[in-house]
Amino acid sequence: MSKSHSTNRTVTWLLNIVKLIGLFALYQLAMIPTMMPAIRHGFSATATLIAGVASLVLLGSLIWWLVTIYRRQAPIVTSLSRPTRPVLTIVGLFILVELGNVLAGLIVKKTPENQVILDKVFTTNPVINVVMMAVLAPIVEELIFRGLMYRWLFPRVTNWVSFTVALVFASLVFALAHTLLFSPALLVYLPIAVVLTFTYVWFNDIRYSIALHIINNSLAMVGMLTLLSR
């Protein structure tokens, strides 16, 4: 491999990282309207509803754009064999995902201010926020952190070494994107990130990790709403 070719690959890799950061920033911006009534006082019921609908429209538009970009990229090349018992594999992976939820509960107890913010967000627009967090957010996150990240940064996962490198990188980025710093909260997201990455690479199909992510978030929403109702 020539030096110029290696330099071009490095530049392309860095540019793709910048693009991923930009997409995640757009995702965060789309979530802002529905969070404003919980952060700032004085929002009427109508304004709160409009803010929630605005976030739904923004997230829906972002998903449409991400799907369009994703379909234009070449699928990742992987020689890792698929699980021989996919149902049992998915059940086992799902149990590991729920471990992340248990860790989340333990850490939230130590940081009650986080729970106060979440309570405010979900009580202002409960139906819209459940749809966003349980369905739309997992779709966006899987398209960014599994789909496009792997197709842009790790297009070839042909052995366990390359898979391990991609797994560690993608999982840490996913966790840091949710915590924004190195803290014990990383422990909440790492099991989820690892399981979703295994699911995506093994099946080489974004629909599997999206489905698993939606199921996980839906159960988390049920638990949160049950606590709020009490």
Side-chain angles (χ1 to χ4, degrees):
M1 183 183 297
S2 65
K3 185 176 180 179
S4 61
H5 181 67
S6 178
T7 302
N8 289 337
R9 286 190 58 184
T10 302
V11 171
T12 301
W13 204 81
L14 293 175
L15 287 175
N16 285 333
I17 290 180
V18 172
K19 289 192 291 185
L20 288 168
I21 293 173
L23 291 174
F24 181 73
L26 289 176
Y27 168 46
Q28 297 302 302
L29 290 174
M31 302 284 282
I32 288 177
T34 196
M35 298 183 68
M36 290 305 296
I39 298 173
R40 299 182 62 181
H41 300 289
F43 274 73
S44 65
T46 302
T48 300
L49 179 61
I50 292 174
V53 172
S55 279
L56 288 180
V57 172
L58 291 172
L59 281 176
S61 301
L62 180 59
I63 289 173
W64 173 81
W65 189 41
L66 289 173
V67 169
T68 302
I69 298 173
Y70 177 77
R71 286 177 173 174
R72 290 175 179 173
Q73 314 305 312
I76 63 171
V77 177
T78 175
S79 58
L80 301 179
S81 58
R82 281 192 173 192
T84 55
R85 297 182 178 180
V87 175
L88 291 178
T89 301
I90 291 176
V91 171
L93 292 173
F94 179 73
I95 292 173
L96 289 177
V97 167
E98 292 311 301
L99 173 62
N101 285 336
V102 173
L103 290 172
L106 295 174
I107 290 177
V108 163
K109 288 181 180 179
K110 295 182 180 180
T111 55
E113 64 277 4
N114 293 340
Q115 189 61 52
V116 170
I117 295 173
L118 288 174
D119 291 350
K120 288 182 178 180
V121 169
F122 279 93
T123 52
T124 54
N125 246 331
V127 176
I128 290 178
N129 281 297
V130 167
V131 172
M132 288 175 55
M133 298 298 183
V135 180
L136 300 185
I139 296 175
V140 174
E141 292 179 7
E142 288 310 299
L143 285 169
I144 293 176
F145 292 107
R146 244 68 57 181
L148 291 176
M149 179 177 289
Y150 270 77
R151 290 190 173 192
W152 284 348
L153 304 185
F154 305 102
R156 298 184 63 85
V157 184
T158 54
N159 53 58
W160 286 105
V161 174
S162 60
F163 173 71
T164 302
V165 172
L167 173 68
V168 171
F169 182 88
S171 300
L172 282 176
V173 170
F174 179 80
L176 284 170
H178 286 79
T179 61
L180 300 180
L181 73 166
F182 288 95
S183 71
L186 282 175
L187 298 176
V188 175
Y189 295 99
L190 284 177
I192 297 173
V194 169
V195 168
L196 292 174
T197 298
F198 263 106
T199 305
Y200 174 62
V201 175
W202 272 355
F203 294 99
N204 201 3
D205 191 332
I206 197 70
R207 292 174 296 181
Y208 284 93
S209 59
I210 287 177
L212 195 61
H213 202 155
I214 289 176
I215 293 172
N216 173 68
N217 279 27
S218 298
L219 290 178
M221 293 302 101
V222 170
M224 182 174 294
L225 291 176
T226 300
L227 291 175
L228 287 175
S229 66
R230 294 179 180 176

